[in-house]
Amino acid sequence: MEQRYSNLLDEALGLDQTIEPWPLRGRIVAIEDQVETSGSFVLHHLLKRALSPNSSNVSIFIAFSQSFSHYDRVLRKLGCNLVTQRDNKRFFFLNMLKLQCPGGDGGITPEGGLIALYGKIHETISVLPEISRKNVTIIIDDLSLMEVAANGSSDYVLNFLHYCRTLTSEFDCSLVTLNHEDIYASADRPTFLLQMEYLADILIKAEPLATGLATDVHGQLTVMNKGINYGQDSSRNKISNFHFKVKENIVECFYPGSRG
Amino acid sequence: MVMEDPEAPHHMLLLRNFMAQGLVHNQPLLYASPNRDPRGFLGTLPSPAASKDDKSRQRDPDQEKGLRIAWQYKKYFGENQLNFDGQRDGKHEYSNEFDLRKPLERHFLSGQRVECVSFQDCPNLSALQDHCATFLSQFPRNDGNISCVGRIAIQSICAPQCEYSNMEWDMLSFIRSLKSMVRSSNAVAIVTFPPSLLSPSFCKRWQHMSDTLLSVKAIPDEDKELAQLLTGYQDMVGFLNVHKVARINTQVPLILEATTFSIKLQKRRFLVLECLNQAPVDGSSGASYGTSGSCSGSSKTGNLDF
């Protein structure tokens, strides 16, 4: 039963069939959430899948929002030991909590800071052995804090993302990002968000229920999978919509009304 | 973080309580405010109500009102404090009731490390940030010693009195670095801000940045409709809303049974948070959430409503 719940999300992401080769290879996944409903659990879920024992995936985690111990404890409850994975060189944690690029005199410019970060990622990937270089997942938590770190220079953040995108074609990496949709809700032209949505191959939105908070349904997920085959079906996006409940060890996904 | 009501000083009630609680426990405090003389505010901190409080710990939590309120405070006041509660020795009483009419005794204020900063003395945010950094350096996280917990209270950070109130990105990065500093030390910070002074998009950013997000709101005087709806309206001064509860080391959101509390001043002395039982606004509008089962549209702040 439990298995089936989590499969809705996996199904929508195309993770249910095979794990090797990594189905998200070369793709960009954008997760968007709101104050009321955090979407970080999707990030954790993807990380767990990427690090699962029967895949050879390597993850590079760029953390602007939480410390390593937080992710470690969360993932441990999900059944994945980040410390071991780190020792096995399958998990690389870049702690960006204290990254500040205020610019101005003497300080690091936003551009410089992000270029350095990109350099770090590129270096991490290029020293990997040939076999794992083909299966790298770059995870960014989260983009809005990256904008803050860049002191509001969203253009540089976008540039950074475009660079990361080249990695997805160069090395067949996958890129997973988290951002907050409601920040941009009041803007006339939410360029940053639109750009990201345009770049994304898979767009995941976590929203609260219209009826408010509830203990047995934490919110709803909309997954838009833009499809990889560029044949005749290319115009057809696969959209899935379901409710979810986050637990410590699993995320339960189910169709609205399908649970008593 | 606490979102202020722009027209009422209710956030100060919370701040006072937070600060006084820390001082009673001998915890160092850093208080930053837009006022020219922040130290003056310390004179208004309430003193713990000494009587009968000591025995409340042994009683059944469901019966003892004082403790029930205590429980609520414990739950919502600051993210880190929660983690430390269980580990501290039982001698320290958490969540004292404070008598708002009595000022806190001098010896609490003088004997220890209370630091006050006025925004007006800080030419820019990095000066304030340095203050916080030096303050927090007293409480490194990794030495395993949790007997010393620091508290930071920052009042109305984006108030127009300070020069940097229009430097939105700078304020965001200040909050961000404050957060990362608090994470790596044994401390808890409470920041109040008036959301109406921020642009909507920045306000959202602030909210995302917080671990625990509360908002306070005053209730209008002599609102007849409300007075009918809520019992104990006479004592109520406002509402406290819990928007977000800290989610550290877990991915599971904590869904509270109630997110709105009334802030009451009992006998003009005690600040009390009480759970508000929200019945449907209109009896005909369908589903009833009220546990009392009454569809009359009245909601009660019953004593046993949890």
Side-chain angles (χ1 to χ4, degrees):
Chain A
M1 200 64 176
E2 296 258 301
Q3 201 60 35
R4 220 197 69 221
Y5 288 137
S6 75
N7 272 350
L8 271 183
L9 178 57
D10 285 342
E11 235 172 69
L13 295 169
L15 291 176
D16 53 333
Q17 311 282 337
T18 54
I19 197 96
E20 192 78 23
W22 181 235
L24 298 177
R25 232 159 65 158
R27 313 192 75 193
I28 298 178
V29 182
I31 306 165
E32 292 173 4
D33 67 1
Q34 300 182 11
V35 174
E36 296 81 12
T37 314
S38 164
S40 49
F41 70 92
V42 184
L43 218 65
H44 303 146
H45 181 77
L46 283 174
L47 180 61
K48 181 196 163 191
R49 295 305 299 255
L51 292 175
S52 82
N54 31 13
S55 92
S56 58
N57 211 309
V58 171
S59 296
I60 302 176
F61 201 102
I62 303 159
F64 283 90
S65 130
Q66 304 279 358
S67 58
F68 179 77
S69 67
H70 170 86
Y71 298 111
D72 185 35
R73 284 176 196 161
V74 170
L75 265 291
R76 213 168 270 220
K77 289 178 214 168
L78 287 169
C80 172
N81 191 332
L82 290 186
V83 179
T84 323
Q85 301 286 7
R86 192 173 57 177
D87 295 344
N88 292 342
K89 300 245 178 296
R90 283 191 59 195
F91 179 70
F92 295 89
F93 188 82
L94 302 182
N95 187 343
M96 292 292 137
L97 273 183
K98 298 216 161 111
L99 179 78
Q100 296 275 15
C101 320
D105 34 288
I108 322 162
T109 60
E111 198 180 6
L114 292 181
I115 289 176
L117 175 59
Y118 175 76
K120 235 185 244 176
I121 298 172
H122 196 272
E123 194 195 321
T124 313
I125 298 179
S126 40
V127 298
L128 285 173
E130 190 74 38
I131 177 134
S132 38
R133 206 184 295 170
K134 284 279 168 218
N135 285 310
V136 179
T137 308
I138 304 169
I139 303 176
I140 305 178
D141 183 17
D142 61 61
L143 291 184
S144 73
L145 291 174
M146 199 168 184
E147 282 182 281
V148 176
N151 212 18
S153 319
S154 307
D155 287 348
Y156 292 126
V157 180
L158 271 180
N159 282 351
F160 174 83
L161 290 170
H162 278 283
Y163 273 109
C164 287
R165 192 181 176 219
T166 61
L167 286 178
T168 64
S169 46
E170 189 183 345
F171 295 108
D172 256 355
C173 292
S174 45
L175 176 67
V176 180
T177 62
L178 175 67
N179 206 352
H180 309 302
E181 191 184 5
D182 46 1
I183 290 178
Y184 309 91
S186 58
D188 291 337
R189 274 177 51 232
T191 328
F192 189 79
L193 193 75
L194 290 177
Q195 284 262 9
M196 201 52 224
E197 290 183 2
Y198 172 72
L199 283 184
D201 298 300
I202 299 176
L203 183 65
I204 304 174
K205 286 190 185 194
E207 290 159 322
L209 292 183
T211 47
L213 291 175
T215 40
D216 37 4
V217 184
H218 288 157
Q220 63 173 335
L221 272 185
T222 310
V223 181
M224 193 166 91
N225 199 330
K226 292 187 185 163
I228 21 169
N229 47 338
Y230 294 98
Q232 289 180 328
D233 278 347
S234 64
S235 60
R236 204 185 294 163
N237 294 332
K238 195 181 142 212
I239 296 181
S240 345
N241 196 311
F242 43 82
H243 287 172
F244 65 87
K245 177 179 182 177
V246 184
K247 290 185 171 178
E248 290 288 6
N249 57 350
I250 201 166
V251 182
E252 291 181 355
C253 298
F254 44 90
Y255 288 118
S258 66
R259 292 175 88 195
Chain B
M1 277 202 188
V2 179
M3 291 196 278
E4 302 170 2
D5 183 328
E7 280 158 9
H10 288 57
H11 57 279
M12 304 299 271
L13 288 174
L14 294 183
L15 269 185
R16 281 199 186 106
N17 219 300
F18 172 81
M19 291 162 67
Q21 183 73 72
L23 291 178
V24 167
H25 291 156
N26 258 327
Q27 291 165 348
L29 171 78
L30 174 71
Y31 171 58
S33 130
N35 294 332
R36 196 159 277 290
D37 175 29
R39 207 159 260 281
F41 182 65
L42 294 180
T44 69
L45 292 183
S47 153
S51 64
K52 78 190 169 170
D53 222 37
D54 301 335
K55 48 191 176 182
S56 66
R57 207 164 240 279
Q58 284 92 35
R59 296 236 187 126
D60 180 19
D62 280 323
Q63 303 300 320
E64 180 65 46
K65 199 167 175 219
L67 204 65
R68 221 184 72 213
I69 295 144
W71 173 81
Q72 291 175 347
Y73 270 109
K74 231 194 263 183
K75 196 144 188 183
Y76 309 125
F77 257 16
E79 62 276 31
N80 290 358
Q81 194 185 321
L82 248 182
N83 303 340
F84 297 126
D85 272 352
Q87 296 158 6
R88 291 181 66 103
D89 56 355
K91 274 186 209 157
H92 291 289
E93 178 96 6
Y94 263 95
S95 311
N96 300 57
E97 275 189 355
F98 289 99
D99 188 334
L100 297 179
R101 289 196 299 196
K102 269 194 257 167
L104 194 63
E105 283 168 50
R106 281 270 149 209
H107 71 93
F108 281 123
L109 295 176
S110 52
Q112 48 187 307
R113 297 159 284 175
V114 184
E115 227 180 294
C116 290
V117 184
S118 167
F119 292 160
Q120 297 186 20
D121 298 336
C122 295
N124 52 39
L125 277 168
S126 61
L128 184 59
Q129 193 174 322
D130 291 344
H131 267 295
C132 295
T134 26
F135 176 76
L136 287 174
S137 61
Q138 307 168 53
F139 321 102
R141 189 82 182 245
N142 38 19
D143 64 355
N145 172 23
I146 49 153
S147 61
C148 198
V149 180
R151 294 189 181 214
I152 296 184
I154 300 178
Q155 179 203 335
S156 308
I157 183 158
C158 52
Q161 290 101 311
C162 33
E163 283 172 45
Y164 34 82
S165 62
N166 51 357
M167 295 153 68
E168 295 190 306
W169 285 107
D170 288 1
M171 281 195 290
L172 273 176
S173 43
F174 168 73
I175 303 278
R176 182 168 160 259
S177 39
L178 178 67
K179 187 173 164 185
S180 73
M181 287 191 292
V182 168
R183 276 293 151 78
S184 51
S185 50
N186 280 329
V188 44
I190 182 167
V191 179
T192 70
F193 68 100
S196 49
L197 291 181
L198 292 165
S199 70
S201 116
F202 276 90
C203 185
K204 281 287 176 206
R205 279 181 196 271
W206 283 57
Q207 296 178 23
H208 275 288
M209 208 87 94
S210 65
D211 289 314
T212 297
L213 181 66
L214 311 174
S215 72
V216 284
K217 213 174 179 166
I219 49 176
D221 281 341
E222 306 292 319
D223 185 331
K224 291 229 170 71
E225 258 180 61
L226 263 182
Q228 265 184 348
L229 278 172
L230 305 168
T231 51
Y233 178 78
Q234 297 310 321
D235 298 329
M236 269 184 215
V237 291
F239 296 123
L240 173 94
N241 244 301
V242 183
H243 298 270
K244 200 165 139 187
V245 184
R247 207 188 290 189
I248 298 175
N249 298 335
T250 176
Q251 61 171 357
V252 179
L254 178 61
I255 308 286
L256 301 170
E257 284 184 29
T259 54
T260 309
F261 296 88
S262 62
I263 306 174
K264 282 188 180 176
L265 283 179
Q266 280 184 348
K267 300 178 206 140
R268 296 178 162 261
R269 290 174 70 178
F270 301 114
L271 182 70
V272 169
L273 288 185
E274 238 171 49
C275 180
L276 205 63
N277 188 9
Q278 283 177 307
V281 181
D282 179 13
S284 60
S285 72
S288 160
Y289 292 103
T291 45
S292 57
S294 78
C295 286
S296 60
S298 77
S299 79
K300 295 171 190 159
T301 53
N303 269 342
L304 295 170
D305 282 330
F306 243 113

